[in-house]
Each structure stands twice: as C-alpha cells, then as structure tokens.
C-alpha cells in the first residue's frame, strides 16, 4: 500500500480495516526520511517512533481495532520543526550554539499531539533560530524543494513543508513569525496554516520574536492541517501570552455560505512590479472562483500596509536580540570557551556567541541598535506605534470584508544561492505574509496551481482575529477547485 | 532628519562595532566589513517610518495586550525541567562562570 498520499481519515480507515498497521506505516515513512536527499531532517527518532507505533498497535487491538475516540491523530507520523522541544531529544534550532542541547521538557503543543496519538518521527530542518525565508541559513545545510532540487524550499520552516510534500511525514508542525509556515507551504505546494496569535501555546517553542511567533501546521489537505490545529489549540497556563478568552478550536462548527461571503484584495497589494505573472494570474483565478461560487468581491484598503516590512523587521529584530541574549554558554548549549580560557565574563560571552550564523548576528545587531539608548524611541517605539496604525487599518477592513486575499510571495521558489547576497532583498519577499503576524491574524497558504516550470503557487487568505475555523472552512471549500 | 539620527557615526563600521559590543558579539574584521554596509542599507530602509504621523498613538507591543497576561495561581508547582541538567559545567548547584570583576 502506498501510504504517502493518504489523508489522516484514509489512514485511520486503513488501520481499522487492517490493510495497514501503525508499525508498517511508521517504518515506511521513516524509510522515506532516511533516504531523503532534501536536507529535511536534523534528527530522526527511529527507536522512539517505532516504540510509539508498537504501543499504538496494542491500543488499537485492545479497542477492537477501532481508533480510540480521544486520539484524533492516532498513529499519524509527524515531524516537528527543530525549534520545538521534545524531552530527551536534541533541539538545535539549526544552530551550532545549540548543537548539543537535549530538551529537558516537551512543548505543550507537542504533548497535546502525543496525547492525541501522533507519532513523532523526528526534528525538521529550519533557518537558524527561524530567521530566514529560504532555509539556506541552517547550520546543517539547506533544504531543497521537492519539486525541483535546484531550488529553495522556502523558510524558515523549510523542512516541515518539504517533508510533507515529499511523503516523509504525513503532517508537521512549523512556526510562523513573518511568514515562515505560509511561504514554504507555497513554494513546496502544501497547505500551511498560521493560527490567531495566542491560540496555540508557545511554551516549548524556542522564542524568536515573542509578540509575533505562532506555531503553525502543514498538511497535504486543509482537513489534515485543521485537525492538527484543533489538537494543539487552546489556552495554556504555561504561556502567559496564551489567548485564554478564545476556546480550543472546533472546525466542525462552521459552514461556509458563499452568498454571504465578502472578500477583498488590499489595493496596496495590487500592481506590484515584482510579482511573477503566473502568481498574479493565480490570485485573479481565485477571485473568479470565489465570484462563481457567489462571494462578493469588495474594494478594500490598508493605508499603512507599505510600512509593514520596516515595522516587522524592527520589532522582530528587537525582540530577537533580547530573546537570543540567553545563549551565552552558561546554562545550556555549546560552551566553546572554557571558564579558564576567557579573560572575563564579557570575553566569555563573546567567545561563546561566535557560534551564531551570519543572519542571526545581523538581526541581533539591528535589534540591539533599535533598542539602544538614543535610538529606541525613533526605531522601536515608532515601529510599535505604526504597528498600532496597521492593526487599526485591518480592524476597519474586516468591517467591510470577511476574508482578505493576496499572493503568498511575489514569485515561486527561487534557485538556491540566488538571493543570498542581499539580506534586504530577502526581507522584501515577506511583504504579503508579514501583516498577519503584526496584527495576530489567522492566515493560510492554499496550493493553487503551478507556474510554467511546474513550480507550486500558493494563494494567501487572512481572516479577522479568532476566525480560524471560518478561514479553514473557506479553504476547505476552495481546495481542489483550481482548473 | 531627527536629532537622534544625526548622532549615528557616518562610518557604518563604527556604529556596527559599538552595537556589537552591546550585544556581546565579537565580529571578525571580515564580518565587520560585510555586515556594516548591509546593516546601513537596512537601517536606511527602515528610516522611512519617520514620515508616518504617530502623534498620540499608543504603541502596540503584543496583539493580545488588551486581554492582559494569562497568570496562573501563585502556588508552588513541580519544576518543569531539571535546571542543571543541560549545563556545560556545574559546581554542586551552581553554574560556573569566569570572574565577573
């Protein structure tokens, strides 16, 4: 049986009919992961995963070969972006500075996955500390696009996106701070979903930018990405930024009536010179499909949209400079300087922090600058004020529309090495995805055709705060409608 | 141009080096030569925010700021993780570091 193209529902049917067992499914996926030449995995947890598969098999048999009702992810082989902690397993964040770090606890979202029956195959490659848009910034090598090995997978959750496309795991968890789930989803041709800020606990997700980070889900179908989101969602006492007023997700509640749906493309996103023609066409074709199904297309404006990139990078780099100050070789991670070889504490810190890669160092430097005395008002405070204006623009827009639409990225996947020389060029690639993180909105990348070279194109949807279930329901209705 | 931005040294290498010291990053001469113009270009791009009118606008620090932090009861619970387990070098219940003074 070919397990690679099964959905979660089909996998469960196979388990119940006896045409597949958890052990053979996990072994098949592990074999795909072992022989992969995409650079997708940092660590495989083979022994652990096979033990979990054996235990799953026992539970299945004891339950009369019925999937236990409290295990919606029973026997589902999954990967975790390697900035998510799994107790007893290396968590590197694709950085030399955490190359030896064994997580002493498990992230809340991962605990919830395992309680729901998921089987963790291993840890997936990423841009170092989630900083990047191409997965070329990993200390352990780039991730290649499964559709074309000379091209990038997108980042920073490159491994999480590519592994699902390549059949190395069925679903995966990534993280999204400025587009890091949605962009690789678009480049690789899978569904990538970023929840409303706070709906998934960040406890156990190694922090990059605390007011922007959110764990996201990847699947071949919207239903699979949605099911994983339901399992991991909900308030968590271990995360003080958890959205405790928004309940655990339940995607069964929402039905879409297209005749009542209003959608819009922010006019500030129209007529961008840098957009590849096929990407522009994909957005237009999605609008046509929406209209055919009965939705109303409404003009909408986000006046401060053009400042999103500057706001994002100032805020993200500032928060990152603070979050990454903990990596000093004292309490965990690699201590490359011994206590005796350092002249003093300053020297000790500097020697240990040499292990960061170039992009991480750049962002720490800019963030430190933006927060420093004499500049914090002009840069950080100013960025936070403009962030408020952008938020207000979106609140007004969502009075006129239910969903916003745009490309995910200006182009399809570019060649490895093509954008490495100019960091600013890479940052400008995030223009469509960044606003969702600034305002904390749910957002999704839905595969929508290919360009003339066969490279996947994703279309980007945004909904208002807390409207994750509606967004997923909409995407589910549209899935497969591309002609 | 605002008052504070006039204080940035015109040589990007100078302000990059100062910031590196604050961030406890020890840059090699090659890194300094590569990073300084890149950072200057990015900083110039971000200076576009100066044209936005933000008089009286409250900074937005977190999308859920209005709900307030989610705080649990102040009751002693088991430690989530054994704190010393990951340390490169410990002395009984302390982490070792070089002299601070």
């Amino acid at each position: 049986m070919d397990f690679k193209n099964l959905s979660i529902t089909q996998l469960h049917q196979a388990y119940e009919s006896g045409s597949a067992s958890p052990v053979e499914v996990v072994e098949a996926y592990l074999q795909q992961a072992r022989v992969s030449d995409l650079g997708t995995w940092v660590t495989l947890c083979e022994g652990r995963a096979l033990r979990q598969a054996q235990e799953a098999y026992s539970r299945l048999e004891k339950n009369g070969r019925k999937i236990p009702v409290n295990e919606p992810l029973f026997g589902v082989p999954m990967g975790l972006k390697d900035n998510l902690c799994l107790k007893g397993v290396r968590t590197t964040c694709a950085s030399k500075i955490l190359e030896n770090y064994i997580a002493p606890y498990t992230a809340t979202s991962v605990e919830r996955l395992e309680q729901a029956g998921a089987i963790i195959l291993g840890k997936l490659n990423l841009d170092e500390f989630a900083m990047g848009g191409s997965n070329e910034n990993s200390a352990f090598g780039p991730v290649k696009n499964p559709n074309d090995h000379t091209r990038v997978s997108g980042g920073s959750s490159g491994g999480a996106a590519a592994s699902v496309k390549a059949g190395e795991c069925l679903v995966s968890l990534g993280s999204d701070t400025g587009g890091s789930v949605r962009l690789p989803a678009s480049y690789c041709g899978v569904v990538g979903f970023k929840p409303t800020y706070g709906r998934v606990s960040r406890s156990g997700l190694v922090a990059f930018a605390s007011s922007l980070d959110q764990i996201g889900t990847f699947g071949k179908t919207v239903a699979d990405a949605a099911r994983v989101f339901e399992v991991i969602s909900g308030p968590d006492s271990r995360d003080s930024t958890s959205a405790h007023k928004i309940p655990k997700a339940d995607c069964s509640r929402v039905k879409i009536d297209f005749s009542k749906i209003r959608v819009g493309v922010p006019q500030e996103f129209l007529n961008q010179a840098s957009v590849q023609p096929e990407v522009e066409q994909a957005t237009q074709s999605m609008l046509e499909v929406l209209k055919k199904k009965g939705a109303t297309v409404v003009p909408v404006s986000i006046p401060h949209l053009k400042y999103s990139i500057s706001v994002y990078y100032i805020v993200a780099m500032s928060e990152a400079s603070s979050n990454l100050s903990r990596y000093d070789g004292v309490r965990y991670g690699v201590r490359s300087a011994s206590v005796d070889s350092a002249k003093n504490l300053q020297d000790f810190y500097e020697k240990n922090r040499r292990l960061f890669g170039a992009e991480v160092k750049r962002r720490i430097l800019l963030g430190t600058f933006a927060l420093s005395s004499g500049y914090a008002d002009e840069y950080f405070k100013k960025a936070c004020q403009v962030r408020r204006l952008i938020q207000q623009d979106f609140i007004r827009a969502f009075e006129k529309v239910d969903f916003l639409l745009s490309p995910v990225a200006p182009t399809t996947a570019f060649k490895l090495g093509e954008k490495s020389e100019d960091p600013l060029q890479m940052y400008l690639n995030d223009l469509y995805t960044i606003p969702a993180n600034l305002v904390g909105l749910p957002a999704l990348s839905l595969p929508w055709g290919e360009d003339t070279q066969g490279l996947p194109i994703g279309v980007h949807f945004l909904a208002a705060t807390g409207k994750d279930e509606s967004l997923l329901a909409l995407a589910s209705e549209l899935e497969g409608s591309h002609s | 141009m605002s008052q504070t931005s006039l204080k940035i040294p015109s040589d990007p290498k100078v302000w990059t080096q100062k910031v590196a010291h604050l961030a406890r990053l020890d840059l090699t001469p090659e890194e300094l030569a590569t990073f300084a113009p890149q950072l200057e270009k990015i900083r110039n791009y971000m200076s576009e925010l100066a044209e936005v009118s933000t008089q009286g606008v409250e900074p937005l620090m977190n999308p859920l700021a209005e709900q307030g932090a989610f705080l649990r009861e102040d009751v002693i619970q088991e430690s989530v993780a054994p704190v010393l387990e990951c340390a490169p070098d410990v002395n009984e219940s302390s982490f070792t570091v070089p002299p601070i003074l």
Side-chain angles (χ1 to χ4, degrees), chain A residues 197 236 240 242 244 307 310 331 335 346 353-354 361-362 365 374 378-379 382 384-385 388 422, chain B residues 4 19 23-24 26 31 38 41 43 46 48-49 51-52 54 57-60 62 67 70 87 96:
Chain A
Y197 180 85
D236 179 25
S240 65
S242 184
H244 52 273
Y307 300 110
S310 293
R331 290 160 298 156
R335 178 185 285 203
Q346 164 93 15
R353 288 161 67 78
R354 278 196 200 136
K361 283 184 184 165
R362 260 193 293 270
L365 288 167
E378 185 181 345
Y379 287 88
K382 185 76 174 182
C384 292
Q385 288 174 305
R388 171 82 62 192
D422 185 353
Chain B
T4 46
V19 172
R24 303 300 185 253
D26 174 31
E31 281 176 325
Q38 289 174 337
K41 188 176 175 186
R43 193 190 61 73
M46 290 172 179
E48 68 169 359
L49 294 186
E51 74 197 31
V52 186
T54 50
V57 177
E58 192 60 31
L60 176 66
N62 183 292
Q67 78 162 12
F70 184 49
T96 62

Side-chain angles (χ1 to χ4, degrees), chain A residues 423-459:
Chain A
L424 184 59
Q425 277 310 305
M426 193 73 88
Y427 301 163
L428 297 175
N429 213 37
D430 295 332
L431 77 158
Y432 300 113
T433 50
I434 271 171
N437 302 86
L438 289 179
V439 183
L441 305 171
L444 179 146
S445 172
L446 182 68
W448 196 250
E450 296 160 353
D451 71 7
T452 50
Q453 292 181 287
L455 296 169
I457 300 172
V459 169

Side-chain angles (χ1 to χ4, degrees), chain B residues 12-35:
Chain B
K13 279 191 189 169
V14 172
W15 71 259
T16 300
Q17 188 66 281
K18 283 194 164 137
V19 172
H21 176 78
L22 289 175
R24 303 300 185 253
L25 289 175
D26 174 31
L27 303 179
T28 63
E30 294 77 27
E31 281 176 325
L32 191 58
T34 305
F35 289 164

Side-chain angles (χ1 to χ4, degrees), chain A residues 42 60-61 81 98 166 236 354 451 475:
Chain A
V42 178
L60 186 66
E61 293 299 297
K81 185 176 184 180
L98 286 179
D236 179 25
R354 278 196 200 136
D451 71 7

Side-chain angles (χ1 to χ4, degrees), chain A residues 198-409:
Chain A
R199 286 200 80 176
V200 177
S201 168
R202 293 186 302 109
S203 175
L205 170 68
V206 174
F208 157 15
S210 309
S211 78
L212 300 164
D213 290 345
Q214 192 59 186
I215 292 170
T217 65
F218 289 96
K220 285 213 179 75
T221 63
V222 175
D224 284 0
R227 190 184 293 209
V228 179
F229 165 58
E230 284 178 321
V231 165
I232 62 177
S233 67
D236 179 25
S237 59
R238 288 195 216 144
D239 176 2
S240 65
T241 62
S242 184
H244 52 273
K245 290 184 183 159
I246 308 180
K248 197 166 174 62
D250 178 1
C251 294
S252 65
R253 299 191 271 120
V254 179
K255 293 284 172 276
I256 294 290
D257 177 353
F258 279 97
S259 66
K260 299 201 169 83
I261 300 280
R262 303 159 301 164
V263 295
V265 178
Q267 69 183 50
E268 292 78 13
F269 276 157
L270 297 168
N271 303 317
Q272 294 275 346
S274 55
V275 180
Q276 185 179 336
E278 296 107 308
V279 170
E280 182 64 52
Q281 276 154 32
T283 312
Q284 288 308 316
S285 98
M286 175 58 85
L287 279 171
E288 290 308 311
V289 167
L290 283 161
K291 279 192 267 195
K292 268 207 194 83
K293 286 184 181 279
T296 309
V297 178
V298 177
V300 66
S301 168
I302 310 281
H304 295 92
L305 202 55
K306 68 173 184 166
Y307 300 110
S308 305
I309 292 178
S310 293
V311 168
Y312 169 80
Y313 276 100
I314 290 173
V315 170
M317 293 192 198
S318 299
E319 293 183 357
S321 70
S322 174
N323 280 326
L324 269 66
S325 63
R326 68 194 62 175
Y327 302 109
D328 56 16
V330 174
R331 290 160 298 156
Y332 40 75
V334 175
R335 178 185 285 203
S336 48
S338 72
V339 163
D340 305 317
S341 68
K343 287 183 276 200
N344 51 42
L345 196 60
Q346 164 93 15
D347 185 46
F348 182 72
Y349 287 156
E350 286 180 355
K351 283 188 161 78
N352 286 326
R353 288 161 67 78
R354 278 196 200 136
L355 292 172
F356 287 130
E359 184 59 30
V360 172
K361 283 184 184 165
R362 260 193 293 270
R363 295 191 190 202
I364 291 173
L365 288 167
L366 278 165
T368 305
F369 167 75
L371 289 172
S372 62
S373 172
Y375 301 104
D377 278 358
E378 185 181 345
Y379 287 88
F380 184 71
K381 183 180 170 187
K382 185 76 174 182
C384 292
Q385 288 174 305
V386 181
R387 187 178 182 180
R388 171 82 62 192
L389 295 176
I390 294 171
Q391 182 198 47
Q392 288 168 352
D393 286 353
F394 273 97
I395 291 172
R396 276 191 282 273
F398 280 118
E399 288 164 7
K400 298 180 67 182
V401 297
D402 303 294
F403 303 101
L404 290 166
L405 173 63
S406 74
V408 176

